[in-house]
Amino acid sequence: MSGYWTGIVAILCFNIVVAYSVFLPAAAGQLNLGAAGFVAIGAYTSGYLSTDVGLAMWLTIPIAALATGAVAFLISFPMLRTRGVYMVLATLAFAEIVQGIYINLEIFGAAAGYPVAAFAELDIIAPITILVILFVVFLMATRFGLSMRAVHDDERVASLFGVNTRMTKVAAFTLGGVIAGIGGAIWAHQFNYVEIQHFNILLSTFVLLYVLIGGTQTPYGPLVGAVFFTLLPEFLRVSNEWRFVIFGVIIVLMMVVRPEGLVTRTLVERFYGLFWRRGRTAVADR
Amino acid sequence: MLILQQLISGLMIGGIYVMVAVAFTLTIGMLNFLNFTIPALFMLSGMVAWGLTTVGVHWALALLGGVATATFASLIVERFTYRYMRVRYGDATEHALPLVSSLGFLIIFEHLVLVILGSDPQRFPTPFTSADFHLGKLIIGIPQLVSLVLALAIVWGLSIMLKRTRVGRALRSIAENPDAATLMGVSVNYIVPIVFVITGLMAGIAGMLFTLNYADINAYMGDNVAAKAIAGMVIGGLGNIWGAIAGGLIVGLTEVMAIHFFGADIVKIPIWGLLLLILLVRPSGLFGHTAIGKGKF
């Protein structure tokens, strides 16, 4: 693979992982416009452990994930008091505060950025990404995934049916934080340099858009959304600005034509049904 | 004396925030819609005005052209977000859909401006460079003072309009319940665009005043101002016009004071910290719940 494509695949892995971190709260009905804040915490934690403490990568990435998860757990309690537009604004405010703090911390190089010692190649990043995808697909198939869907569709009815809605939401938010931490660690080790300016509102916005355009009903939505919007610009041979204009037009059109997202539950069931029916007719023929 | 001077400049920039905050709070209160195109409308007004001056249009006409463009763009947004969702689902406020579409429009407008007018920071040929008014040792920029007064006058007129006129009553009834408003003979499809016209005008005029006063413009100039305006809106309570006015001024003062005492880098933390704290502790804003809408959140 050429260096150009290696770079693109690395970005793709990062986008997929961060998309899943936003997907988990979204699947439980919470819009998180603060992904960049969590990613920044993960990136700086793993960078610090790698450069200053000198830990190996197999330690820095999990610790960064756990640290980010801990932050997400702690702020989930005040955060989940809010809902709807308020939640969007509160998560946005959180990300801006994280950015404001890191840009003033001298031990992390402030605005100049922070170098990271260990370098992660694709053969480390890609398996991690695949593990994250498999984990979320598995999670959505469990009882917990079902309660997340129930809370997303109707919180009141879900709690009437015995779902612990508060626990479900806190767990979804915390797991989202853990995955965002992994995403941040991937970024730190891939680029060997962490600059807070990258983890801005634009990153949060784009990631939320990947998830919402991909669809929040199934665990495949964020994957499709992230792949589509990461690779599409590479195939559009126009200037960078026009790419963004096309991206915006696609978002507006998608909301008009298919607001539930590219991948829906019905689509996935139909896709599975394709194989099932074939199997059944084979049995009937016999 | 220096503090007093800082207070004055805080109020001046606060006047701009007030107008943008009112634009935000109006769409939230009326339509339960966090309209992320407002920073783009603000920017369009300034950048289109600059673009017009480069082809030889008089500066005053160019500024009016900028405001008109912002208003027209706002109507386009209405057509593809609010109206479409309403026709298709009967209710446009239910989901995050309009919010996502408005993010899409924000990206479209900003990058269209980048394509057509370029990404370099520009300087608007403002005619008022040294029109200062000295009060003792204090310096008050006359255009800035006029802007502040104009901003407050427009917002005051708006609140009178909402309270007294027929259109205002129709708007408030839609904020209360769109279906009931339709049954009572309010033509929702004619009234809702008015909200977007007002939004476009407010954001456009704020962009115009900003361009006139500070002259430094670029394709991203709306983002920073909109962030402060959102903070102001939250401080005043979502959907509360007078709250947005107070909130915008508070944010302007906080910003200037934080820069004065702690430096420019740290300014994000007090403003967003204040916003987060208010959202978590007192989501109805500092001034109690007197929102226009019924508070659907």
Side-chain angles (χ1 to χ4, degrees), chain B residues 68-92:
Chain B
T69 315
T71 312
F72 180 68
S74 185
L75 277 175
I76 296 178
V77 173
E78 190 266 344
R79 185 67 191 79
F80 285 98
T81 58
Y82 193 84
R83 189 183 304 188
Y84 193 84
M85 303 303 162
R86 187 168 170 79
V87 168
R88 187 160 165 181
Y89 302 103
D91 184 5

mmCIF file of all heavy atoms in Angstrom, chain B residues 68-92:
data_model
loop_
_atom_site.group_PDB
_atom_site.id
_atom_site.type_symbol
_atom_site.label_atom_id
_atom_site.label_comp_id
_atom_site.label_asym_id
_atom_site.label_seq_id
_atom_site.Cartn_x
_atom_site.Cartn_y
_atom_site.Cartn_z
ATOM 1 N N ALA B 68 -29.281 41.780 2.711
ATOM 2 C CA ALA B 68 -30.292 41.155 1.860
ATOM 3 C C ALA B 68 -29.906 39.710 1.541
ATOM 4 O O ALA B 68 -30.749 38.805 1.574
ATOM 5 C CB ALA B 68 -30.448 41.959 0.572
ATOM 6 N N THR B 69 -28.614 39.479 1.257
ATOM 7 C CA THR B 69 -28.161 38.124 0.964
ATOM 8 C C THR B 69 -28.403 37.203 2.152
ATOM 9 O O THR B 69 -28.884 36.083 1.991
ATOM 10 C CB THR B 69 -26.654 38.117 0.637
ATOM 11 O OG1 THR B 69 -26.394 39.183 -0.250
ATOM 12 C CG2 THR B 69 -26.234 36.803 0.023
ATOM 13 N N ALA B 70 -28.085 37.704 3.357
ATOM 14 C CA ALA B 70 -28.260 36.880 4.552
ATOM 15 C C ALA B 70 -29.728 36.518 4.726
ATOM 16 O O ALA B 70 -30.072 35.372 5.029
ATOM 17 C CB ALA B 70 -27.738 37.619 5.779
ATOM 18 N N THR B 71 -30.616 37.498 4.504
ATOM 19 C CA THR B 71 -32.045 37.238 4.675
ATOM 20 C C THR B 71 -32.527 36.206 3.668
ATOM 21 O O THR B 71 -33.265 35.270 4.001
ATOM 22 C CB THR B 71 -32.832 38.547 4.494
ATOM 23 O OG1 THR B 71 -32.201 39.553 5.275
ATOM 24 C CG2 THR B 71 -34.259 38.389 4.928
ATOM 25 N N PHE B 72 -32.095 36.375 2.412
ATOM 26 C CA PHE B 72 -32.492 35.432 1.369
ATOM 27 C C PHE B 72 -31.976 34.025 1.693
ATOM 28 O O PHE B 72 -32.703 33.035 1.584
ATOM 29 C CB PHE B 72 -31.947 35.907 0.023
ATOM 30 C CG PHE B 72 -32.304 35.015 -1.119
ATOM 31 C CD1 PHE B 72 -33.624 34.914 -1.544
ATOM 32 C CD2 PHE B 72 -31.334 34.263 -1.756
ATOM 33 C CE1 PHE B 72 -33.960 34.077 -2.583
ATOM 34 C CE2 PHE B 72 -31.666 33.418 -2.796
ATOM 35 C CZ PHE B 72 -32.988 33.327 -3.212
ATOM 36 N N ALA B 73 -30.726 33.933 2.138
ATOM 37 C CA ALA B 73 -30.149 32.632 2.497
ATOM 38 C C ALA B 73 -30.956 31.986 3.612
ATOM 39 O O ALA B 73 -31.209 30.779 3.604
ATOM 40 C CB ALA B 73 -28.696 32.805 2.927
ATOM 41 N N SER B 74 -31.424 32.807 4.550
ATOM 42 C CA SER B 74 -32.215 32.285 5.659
ATOM 43 C C SER B 74 -33.520 31.678 5.147
ATOM 44 O O SER B 74 -33.979 30.643 5.637
ATOM 45 C CB SER B 74 -32.502 33.408 6.650
ATOM 46 O OG SER B 74 -33.157 32.912 7.773
ATOM 47 N N LEU B 75 -34.101 32.305 4.126
ATOM 48 C CA LEU B 75 -35.338 31.765 3.551
ATOM 49 C C LEU B 75 -35.080 30.432 2.859
ATOM 50 O O LEU B 75 -35.916 29.523 2.908
ATOM 51 C CB LEU B 75 -35.938 32.767 2.567
ATOM 52 C CG LEU B 75 -36.776 33.849 3.225
ATOM 53 C CD1 LEU B 75 -37.236 34.864 2.198
ATOM 54 C CD2 LEU B 75 -37.984 33.230 3.908
ATOM 55 N N ILE B 76 -33.933 30.311 2.202
ATOM 56 C CA ILE B 76 -33.581 29.026 1.582
ATOM 57 C C ILE B 76 -33.503 27.948 2.652
ATOM 58 O O ILE B 76 -33.997 26.830 2.482
ATOM 59 C CB ILE B 76 -32.235 29.134 0.835
ATOM 60 C CG1 ILE B 76 -32.344 30.113 -0.309
ATOM 61 C CG2 ILE B 76 -31.798 27.774 0.313
ATOM 62 C CD1 ILE B 76 -31.068 30.306 -1.065
ATOM 63 N N VAL B 77 -32.898 28.309 3.784
ATOM 64 C CA VAL B 77 -32.776 27.344 4.880
ATOM 65 C C VAL B 77 -34.163 26.909 5.345
ATOM 66 O O VAL B 77 -34.415 25.728 5.564
ATOM 67 C CB VAL B 77 -31.977 27.959 6.053
ATOM 68 C CG1 VAL B 77 -31.998 27.034 7.252
ATOM 69 C CG2 VAL B 77 -30.568 28.254 5.629
ATOM 70 N N GLU B 78 -35.081 27.871 5.459
ATOM 71 C CA GLU B 78 -36.441 27.526 5.904
ATOM 72 C C GLU B 78 -37.068 26.518 4.958
ATOM 73 O O GLU B 78 -37.672 25.534 5.387
ATOM 74 C CB GLU B 78 -37.304 28.789 5.943
ATOM 75 C CG GLU B 78 -38.645 28.587 6.614
ATOM 76 C CD GLU B 78 -39.777 28.245 5.647
ATOM 77 O OE1 GLU B 78 -39.622 28.453 4.428
ATOM 78 O OE2 GLU B 78 -40.809 27.760 6.098
ATOM 79 N N ARG B 79 -36.906 26.750 3.666
ATOM 80 C CA ARG B 79 -37.528 25.887 2.664
ATOM 81 C C ARG B 79 -37.078 24.437 2.816
ATOM 82 O O ARG B 79 -37.873 23.512 2.663
ATOM 83 C CB ARG B 79 -37.157 26.415 1.268
ATOM 84 C CG ARG B 79 -37.824 25.705 0.133
ATOM 85 C CD ARG B 79 -39.317 25.983 0.147
ATOM 86 N NE ARG B 79 -40.008 25.116 -0.781
ATOM 87 C CZ ARG B 79 -40.317 23.850 -0.527
ATOM 88 N NH1 ARG B 79 -39.971 23.320 0.608
ATOM 89 N NH2 ARG B 79 -40.946 23.119 -1.410
ATOM 90 N N PHE B 80 -35.790 24.221 3.127
ATOM 91 C CA PHE B 80 -35.266 22.850 3.123
ATOM 92 C C PHE B 80 -35.167 22.233 4.510
ATOM 93 O O PHE B 80 -34.838 21.064 4.625
ATOM 94 C CB PHE B 80 -33.890 22.801 2.460
ATOM 95 C CG PHE B 80 -33.972 22.927 0.986
ATOM 96 C CD1 PHE B 80 -33.748 24.147 0.377
ATOM 97 C CD2 PHE B 80 -34.316 21.839 0.201
ATOM 98 C CE1 PHE B 80 -33.850 24.271 -0.989
ATOM 99 C CE2 PHE B 80 -34.418 21.967 -1.159
ATOM 100 C CZ PHE B 80 -34.188 23.189 -1.760
ATOM 101 N N THR B 81 -35.384 23.017 5.554
ATOM 102 C CA THR B 81 -35.348 22.386 6.869
ATOM 103 C C THR B 81 -36.745 22.350 7.470
ATOM 104 O O THR B 81 -37.407 21.329 7.438
ATOM 105 C CB THR B 81 -34.405 23.126 7.839
ATOM 106 O OG1 THR B 81 -34.828 24.463 7.942
ATOM 107 C CG2 THR B 81 -32.991 23.082 7.367
ATOM 108 N N TYR B 82 -37.196 23.489 7.940
ATOM 109 C CA TYR B 82 -38.432 23.478 8.710
ATOM 110 C C TYR B 82 -39.634 23.059 7.878
ATOM 111 O O TYR B 82 -40.358 22.146 8.219
ATOM 112 C CB TYR B 82 -38.673 24.859 9.326
ATOM 113 C CG TYR B 82 -39.742 24.814 10.363
ATOM 114 C CD1 TYR B 82 -39.434 24.434 11.650
ATOM 115 C CD2 TYR B 82 -41.064 25.071 10.039
ATOM 116 C CE1 TYR B 82 -40.410 24.344 12.604
ATOM 117 C CE2 TYR B 82 -42.046 24.979 10.994
ATOM 118 C CZ TYR B 82 -41.708 24.623 12.275
ATOM 119 O OH TYR B 82 -42.680 24.523 13.212
ATOM 120 N N ARG B 83 -39.830 23.727 6.715
ATOM 121 C CA ARG B 83 -41.046 23.477 5.962
ATOM 122 C C ARG B 83 -41.105 22.039 5.478
ATOM 123 O O ARG B 83 -42.132 21.367 5.575
ATOM 124 C CB ARG B 83 -41.152 24.421 4.772
ATOM 125 C CG ARG B 83 -42.517 24.302 4.121
ATOM 126 C CD ARG B 83 -42.648 25.155 2.921
ATOM 127 N NE ARG B 83 -42.367 26.547 3.208
ATOM 128 C CZ ARG B 83 -42.580 27.506 2.323
ATOM 129 N NH1 ARG B 83 -43.070 27.216 1.136
ATOM 130 N NH2 ARG B 83 -42.291 28.737 2.611
ATOM 131 N N TYR B 84 -39.973 21.533 4.986
ATOM 132 C CA TYR B 84 -39.983 20.185 4.436
ATOM 133 C C TYR B 84 -40.340 19.152 5.507
ATOM 134 O O TYR B 84 -41.159 18.275 5.294
ATOM 135 C CB TYR B 84 -38.625 19.848 3.823
ATOM 136 C CG TYR B 84 -38.747 18.609 3.008
ATOM 137 C CD1 TYR B 84 -39.196 18.667 1.705
ATOM 138 C CD2 TYR B 84 -38.509 17.365 3.572
ATOM 139 C CE1 TYR B 84 -39.395 17.535 0.968
ATOM 140 C CE2 TYR B 84 -38.696 16.224 2.844
ATOM 141 C CZ TYR B 84 -39.132 16.319 1.548
ATOM 142 O OH TYR B 84 -39.330 15.196 0.829
ATOM 143 N N MET B 85 -39.704 19.309 6.673
ATOM 144 C CA MET B 85 -39.963 18.352 7.753
ATOM 145 C C MET B 85 -41.434 18.399 8.166
ATOM 146 O O MET B 85 -42.041 17.392 8.456
ATOM 147 C CB MET B 85 -39.117 18.683 8.985
ATOM 148 C CG MET B 85 -37.650 18.727 8.725
ATOM 149 S SD MET B 85 -37.050 17.198 8.060
ATOM 150 C CE MET B 85 -35.510 17.736 7.375
ATOM 151 N N ARG B 86 -41.998 19.615 8.147
ATOM 152 C CA ARG B 86 -43.362 19.770 8.602
ATOM 153 C C ARG B 86 -44.339 19.114 7.619
ATOM 154 O O ARG B 86 -45.258 18.411 8.016
ATOM 155 C CB ARG B 86 -43.677 21.252 8.753
ATOM 156 C CG ARG B 86 -44.988 21.442 9.368
ATOM 157 C CD ARG B 86 -45.276 22.835 9.808
ATOM 158 N NE ARG B 86 -46.686 22.841 10.151
ATOM 159 C CZ ARG B 86 -47.154 22.362 11.284
ATOM 160 N NH1 ARG B 86 -46.320 21.909 12.190
ATOM 161 N NH2 ARG B 86 -48.434 22.346 11.520
ATOM 162 N N VAL B 87 -44.088 19.339 6.332
ATOM 163 C CA VAL B 87 -44.956 18.759 5.315
ATOM 164 C C VAL B 87 -44.889 17.235 5.387
ATOM 165 O O VAL B 87 -45.889 16.543 5.302
ATOM 166 C CB VAL B 87 -44.519 19.251 3.917
ATOM 167 C CG1 VAL B 87 -45.201 18.447 2.833
ATOM 168 C CG2 VAL B 87 -44.857 20.724 3.770
ATOM 169 N N ARG B 88 -43.696 16.725 5.639
ATOM 170 C CA ARG B 88 -43.546 15.282 5.574
ATOM 171 C C ARG B 88 -43.949 14.567 6.865
ATOM 172 O O ARG B 88 -44.515 13.489 6.818
ATOM 173 C CB ARG B 88 -42.084 14.954 5.256
ATOM 174 C CG ARG B 88 -41.901 13.482 5.007
ATOM 175 C CD ARG B 88 -40.640 13.211 4.232
ATOM 176 N NE ARG B 88 -40.328 11.794 4.332
ATOM 177 C CZ ARG B 88 -39.275 11.244 3.786
ATOM 178 N NH1 ARG B 88 -38.445 11.990 3.106
ATOM 179 N NH2 ARG B 88 -39.050 9.965 3.916
ATOM 180 N N TYR B 89 -43.635 15.189 7.998
ATOM 181 C CA TYR B 89 -43.881 14.477 9.257
ATOM 182 C C TYR B 89 -44.955 15.121 10.112
ATOM 183 O O TYR B 89 -45.284 14.603 11.168
ATOM 184 C CB TYR B 89 -42.597 14.381 10.070
ATOM 185 C CG TYR B 89 -41.505 13.708 9.331
ATOM 186 C CD1 TYR B 89 -40.477 14.442 8.761
ATOM 187 C CD2 TYR B 89 -41.515 12.328 9.166
ATOM 188 C CE1 TYR B 89 -39.491 13.818 8.053
ATOM 189 C CE2 TYR B 89 -40.525 11.703 8.447
ATOM 190 C CZ TYR B 89 -39.516 12.452 7.893
ATOM 191 O OH TYR B 89 -38.545 11.831 7.184
ATOM 192 N N GLY B 90 -45.475 16.266 9.675
ATOM 193 C CA GLY B 90 -46.489 16.944 10.468
ATOM 194 C C GLY B 90 -45.903 17.725 11.630
ATOM 195 O O GLY B 90 -46.556 18.550 12.221
ATOM 196 N N ASP B 91 -44.655 17.460 11.976
ATOM 197 C CA ASP B 91 -44.022 18.189 13.066
ATOM 198 C C ASP B 91 -42.529 18.263 12.788
ATOM 199 O O ASP B 91 -41.887 17.242 12.613
ATOM 200 C CB ASP B 91 -44.272 17.470 14.394
ATOM 201 C CG ASP B 91 -43.717 18.261 15.555
ATOM 202 O OD1 ASP B 91 -43.242 19.385 15.329
ATOM 203 O OD2 ASP B 91 -43.755 17.740 16.677
ATOM 204 N N ALA B 92 -42.018 19.465 12.733
ATOM 205 C CA ALA B 92 -40.599 19.605 12.406
ATOM 206 C C ALA B 92 -39.741 19.662 13.651
ATOM 207 O O ALA B 92 -38.528 19.683 13.575
ATOM 208 C CB ALA B 92 -40.381 20.869 11.579
#
